[in-house]
Amino acid sequence: MTTVHAGTLLRQKVEARRGLLMPGAANALAARVIEQLGFEAVYLSGAGLTNTFYGLPDLGFVSLADIAQHTAAIRDAVALPIVVDADTGFGNALNVRHCVRTLERAGANAIQFEDQVMPKKCGHFEGKAVVTQQEMVGKIKAAVDARIHADMLVIARTDAAAVAGIDDAIARAAAYAQAGADITFVEAPSSLEALHRIPREIACPQVVNIVIGGKTPTLPAADFGAMGFGLVLYANAALQGAVHGMTMALTSLRDNGRLDESSGLITTFAQRQALVRKDEFDALDRRYG
């Protein structure tokens, strides 16, 4: 039986331009939840990883080694296509080449690079700066040349909308597509007019990033699909939900001095073990023991 490469599957889904919902995961456990709920792709969020792993804001603190480690863990945990946020690629075009080789070996099916100056900032923060279009084009060409599988997708993100306006951002994204990017990503468009323009004016499939509480208008995924977006990214919905859930459960524990499964505030012990597939390891233990 021939298995379709996860990157090929992802390419097919994105090229359908139906507004595929893609949640972000900050770790392998979140990726398991995403897969269990029936989503069709998972995104390793650089912001989520920074917040979760280090307890720091998304200001360029994670390294390639951090991202590769978590990519490999997620790859081992789920069969879904994995899109990996690689920030700026950690340097120049040669660093981007090394980044692609490293993350593809770790299990990435798509890698996203952005045109911010290092150290980068969250796309919905103020005070961003971008490199020249020429420099980013070189990085995209290096990424395309570095990949081993033709369906390891290269995603080019531009943060130019906040720096030079939406016209410049769209022009940059079009140039990145011309350089070989499979998907482009205009970050933080702040109006419905801009959202309609992006998939209409750029030939390749597009990502729209919904940061809950951020700059981009929130619409149903079906509406984004009707506009022609390939991917609708909720990079940190799982993380924000988890923080809220932890806060509610631990507040109850603090105030009441105990916390029970019947509280409705926590997943049960049995559900937690099922999520990490303990039964499979029990079977392996019996087999090898």
Side-chain angles (χ1 to χ4, degrees):
M1 180 178 176
T2 303
T3 302
V4 178
H5 187 268
T8 304
L9 189 62
L10 180 62
R11 183 186 290 279
Q12 292 168 353
K13 292 177 184 295
V14 171
E15 289 183 348
R17 307 189 193 207
R18 59 180 172 87
L20 179 71
L21 268 174
M22 180 173 65
N27 52 48
L29 187 67
R32 279 267 174 86
V33 174
I34 288 164
E35 183 177 56
Q36 190 176 76
L37 289 173
F39 289 99
E40 299 174 71
V42 62
Y43 178 86
L44 174 54
S45 163
L49 178 57
T50 305
N51 296 165
T52 303
F53 199 45
Y54 289 116
L56 292 173
D58 184 21
L59 294 172
F61 295 119
V62 294
S63 68
L64 176 57
D66 294 330
I67 293 173
Q69 175 188 351
H70 284 267
T71 300
I74 292 173
R75 176 74 292 150
D76 197 45
V78 301
L80 294 175
I82 303 172
V83 178
V84 177
D85 176 6
D87 287 348
T88 63
F90 306 100
N92 63 14
L94 297 182
N95 297 111
V96 166
R97 180 184 186 278
H98 174 61
C99 182
V100 169
R101 291 295 177 91
T102 299
L103 295 180
E104 187 172 8
R105 283 196 304 270
N109 302 116
I111 305 174
Q112 172 198 306
F113 299 101
E114 63 197 55
D115 60 4
Q116 282 198 54
V117 171
M118 291 179 65
K120 59 76 54 83
K121 296 182 178 181
C122 168
H124 291 247
F125 288 174
E126 300 298 329
K128 296 183 294 180
V130 293
V131 300
T132 66
Q133 180 176 305
Q134 181 181 6
E135 180 178 340
M136 185 62 176
V137 164
K139 287 185 173 187
I140 296 304
K141 289 179 177 178
V144 170
D145 289 347
R147 61 187 174 190
I148 302 302
H149 196 286
D151 284 333
M152 202 298 297
L153 306 180
V154 174
I155 302 176
R157 169 177 141 178
T158 179
D159 285 71
V163 177
I166 191 64
D167 290 342
D168 186 66
I170 289 174
R172 279 176 174 252
Y176 302 160
Q178 184 66 32
D182 302 285
I183 302 166
T184 60
F185 173 175
V186 176
E187 174 64 307
S190 57
S191 70
L192 288 175
E193 179 189 6
L195 284 168
H196 279 281
R197 286 183 60 189
I198 290 164
R200 187 173 66 234
E201 297 183 26
I202 306 167
C204 70
Q206 300 298 309
V207 177
V208 59
N209 181 28
I210 303 303
V211 174
I212 302 167
K215 298 178 182 296
T216 301
T218 302
L219 300 171
D223 289 2
F224 287 121
M227 290 181 195
F229 283 96
L231 285 169
V232 180
L233 172 61
Y234 275 79
N236 290 294
L239 171 58
Q240 288 173 253
V243 170
H244 178 70
M246 285 190 287
T247 302
M248 296 295 290
L250 293 174
T251 297
S252 178
L253 175 61
R254 181 198 65 194
D255 293 347
N256 300 311
R258 64 178 292 170
L259 189 61
D260 301 302
E261 287 187 344
S262 61
S263 67
L265 295 172
I266 57 170
T267 191
T268 67
F269 181 81
Q271 289 168 333
R272 178 162 65 96
Q273 301 314 316
L275 184 61
V276 297
R277 301 175 184 170
K278 183 177 181 294
D279 59 337
E280 295 181 18
F281 286 88
D282 288 343
L284 289 170
D285 194 30
R286 290 191 295 271
R287 176 179 176 182
Y288 298 127

